[in-house]
Amino acid sequence: MKSHARVVVIGGGVVGCSVLYHLTKFGWSDVVLVERSELTSGSTWHAAGGMHTINGDPNVARLQKYTVELYKEIEAYSGQDIGLHMTSGLMLAATPERFDWLKSVLAKGKYNGMEAHLLSAREAHEMMPLLDPDQFVGAVFDPNEGHLDPYGTTHAYAKSARKNGAEIYLHTKVEELVQLPDGTWRVITDKGEIRAEHVVNAAGLWAREVGRMVGLELPVLAMEHMYLLTEDMPEVIEFNRTTGRELMHCVDFDGEIYIRQERNGMLMGTYEKACRPWSPIETPWDFGHELLPEDLERITGELEVGFRHFPAFNNAGIRKIINGPFTFSPDGNPLVGPVRGMMNFWSACAVMAGFSQGGGVGLALANWIINGDPGFDVFAMDVCRYGDHATLAYTNAKVRENYSRRFSIRYPNEELPAARPLLTTPIYDRLKAAGAVFGTSYGLETPLWFAPPGLEDRFSWRRSADFETVGREARAVRTGVGLMETSGFAKYAIRGEGARDWLDQILAGKIPPTGRMTLTPMLNEAGKLIGDFTLANLDDEEFLLIGSGIAEDYHMRWFENHLPDDGSAEVDALNLGLVGLSVAGPKARDVLQKLTHLDLSGTAFPFMAIRELDLGMAPVILGRVSYAGDLGYEIWMKPEYQRYLFDLLMEAGAEFGITLFGLRALNALRLEKSFGSWAREYRPLYGPKEAGLGRFIAYDKPATFIGKTAALKEKAEGGALRLVTFTVKAKDADVIGDEPIYFDGKVRGWVTSGGYAHASGISVAMGYVPREIAGEIHGWQIELLGEILPATLQPRPLFDQNGARMRS
Ligand SMILES: Cc1cc2nc3c(=O)[nH]c(=O)nc-3n(C[C@H](O)[C@H](O)[C@H](O)COP(=O)(O)OP(=O)(O)OC[C@H]3O[C@@H](n4cnc5c(N)ncnc54)[C@H](O)[C@@H]3O)c2cc1C
């Protein structure tokens, strides 16, 4: 065993082996993998080996596509047979709602180059005669699906890595991990010790336990999963004989099952509603190549539907039932990347679809370890997308929900109920009493809209029960004054004598003078957007930075990794230690002026001013800015003052008809201002010029801020894309995100977000298109629920084009 290695990967499942292979592929050969038993001794060995490119997040879908395309490469390079069967596949819809959903999946895949297409139930039957066409409405055909041999595939990664110089130690269990003051790791195994620069936790079923070795509680839980294998089926043999082909994969969403051919019979698996976590607290170390007891009772309901949808199964004998555990994160996507607060400790776990995602995870992680950046937009699977709220019990509730809904439709306006309410602010009950319908963001209950008595959300792809009310909320802001809670934003305090200089390095924008705010993007070395913030200078050695709530850990990881060594600046995530309210609309100033003797006029307290003052008896930080794009204020306070302030503002606003509004109205308001938002318009995929944020970059400031060289290059060359806004001739539904944008009949771009801009009375979409056609007003179309709708590019915001209202 080596005494030193650059990287030690813990775990020889498909994921660990893929990480190892990719490290060596990119030139790092001084790397080892440590496996407590044989390769594939976790969930990998009993996987059904199915793979596909579909994922709700297009960025993860791209990595899945990469994984599927990689198989031929590793098979050829290693010489190891991986039992690849590219059978193609069908996704089946048994209801019109499901067919709508499949159409949206298909549309999303278009700009990713997905080659799938729609089929009628009859056409699907012709391709896959085992299905009963009368049970289905339609299907999507995807040529890029198939299955492989999990054992062969894992060994192909391992052999390829070994060929490139990696070493693999079997029957070697990592028992302890200790980080030394110089940042290197002591990887203590039952066979000796290795000193490593980097440690990768790819321990699959034991990822939680390996996390605990370094004091981490990773949000990951294993679930039992069952599939059955039939005896030989004459229908299968006959199909193979007459066509010379294998039967294709099918995912029957409404039956909650998947099937594929296995030898001369079939395999049928299900994500059962009556799901069961496995080893919810601790995974036993002596678990290995055994299966869990079969429990057909639990999947009877799903099997009955399956047998009805695929009648040939009724006559088939069951040869074997497999019940095995595999791991999930709360939202079902992997947990990948560097763990915040630790140096060189990497996560590659909770990969629930190792054969669809393992290659992409290995690629992204190897890039990240070697280059400091995953090279793709991997936020959807970043280990930092969960905060402290993702405890063991939270994870248990969310994973069970996610597993049991694996094949369920999630409507765009649907909020899932598990593990709620968890985080609430002091005015939660007040808002609830006022009719608030809540969503969650980073665990926090956040009002979406305020439902009048008797009305509730009706989940749909189309405009729904909230449409009129959200419209009323949005219009109330534009014509009078509205109040919303803003506690869900991330708030950071940056303090110290070096705070200003540090911010100047880390942020690409100008540092505002005392008492002023500015909008500023944050870039990575490649000049791509990794954040957009409002920066407030409270007093040269104390700054308040406001950003996206869901990215708090993601941003803190970046900040902490870049803090000055001399301690001259420090950063704190204030979390719910600072909560917020926002008052917006032409009457906003009148409301606030009633609560302070200080002059809030446009000259005394102009747009982008910020100061500490009292409103009534409550000390607050008041900023003259609003994401609604109107005259407006953000008010930040300690939580103990929030109820008082809420009541005070509602009382002071009564004479102006103050109206509570939620996130849905805010979305409508920011769309008519063409304001982008983090994780939608602003992501590490785009440069600032592309995103229309060039005016917020201080290209000529003396500081060599991170990403400056790349940003200057982008400025000189112009960037390939442009973020643009469209109005859409929508009917009864509005775009949400990821729909394809056509120009002159060809897919040329994609929607990042959209909705109905109620105050302007028109449907709006924002999205990216190639720069060379971004000046074209006409010739655009957007696909929505299978319909191609005319769209018109809006070069200027629909509301308050010159910002006069905002600055008034
Ligand atoms: C019944 C079933 C069907 C499935 N079907 C499919 C499918 O069709 N398609 C698909 O893509 N996925 C499928 N999966 C999921 C798939 O198996 C997983 O996504 C995949 O196996 C995850 O691999 P992994 O490498 O992350 O974890 P694991 O396979 O669990 O590997 C972790 C490895 O780490 C080792 N290890 C742990 N702790 C230590 C330690 N301290 N020291 C040394 N070594 C350690 C373990 O021994 C183990 O070998 C299925 C799973 C099940 C259970």
Side-chain angles (χ1 to χ4, degrees), residues 10-16 34-38 40-44 46-50 172-174 202-206 210 213 225 227 258 285 322 324-326 351-356:
I10 305 171
V14 64
V15 175
V34 182
E35 164 56 50
R36 83 194 159 101
S37 176
E38 296 288 337
T40 77
S41 293
S43 51
T44 297
H46 45 38
T172 306
K173 180 181 162 218
V174 173
L205 290 177
W206 294 267
V210 169
M213 291 179 191
H225 183 70
Y227 63 82
Y258 58 89
W285 284 108
I322 307 279
F326 66 126
V351 184
M352 61 83 45
F355 298 94
S356 296

Side-chain angles (χ1 to χ4, degrees), residues 9-18 33-52 71 146-148 150 154 169 171-176 188-190 201-207 209-210 213 223-227 249 258 260 267 271 285 287-289 291-292 322-328 348-358:
V9 178
I10 305 171
V14 64
V15 175
C17 290
S18 166
L33 183 146
V34 182
E35 164 56 50
R36 83 194 159 101
S37 176
E38 296 288 337
L39 296 182
T40 77
S41 293
S43 51
T44 297
W45 73 272
H46 45 38
M51 31 95 170
H52 55 86
Y71 287 127
H147 61 271
L148 38 67
T154 308
Y169 306 125
H171 300 285
T172 306
K173 180 181 162 218
V174 173
E175 300 197 313
E176 213 184 326
I188 301 162
T189 79
D190 55 359
N201 177 0
L205 290 177
W206 294 267
E209 283 65 28
V210 169
M213 291 179 191
M223 299 294 289
E224 292 190 16
H225 183 70
M226 258 182 283
Y227 63 82
H249 275 214
Y258 58 89
R260 70 162 170 84
L267 176 158
Y271 285 83
W285 284 108
F287 184 78
H289 276 246
L291 288 170
L292 303 175
I322 307 279
N323 184 13
F326 66 126
T327 54
F328 294 79
C349 47
V351 184
M352 61 83 45
F355 298 94
S356 296
Q357 301 177 329

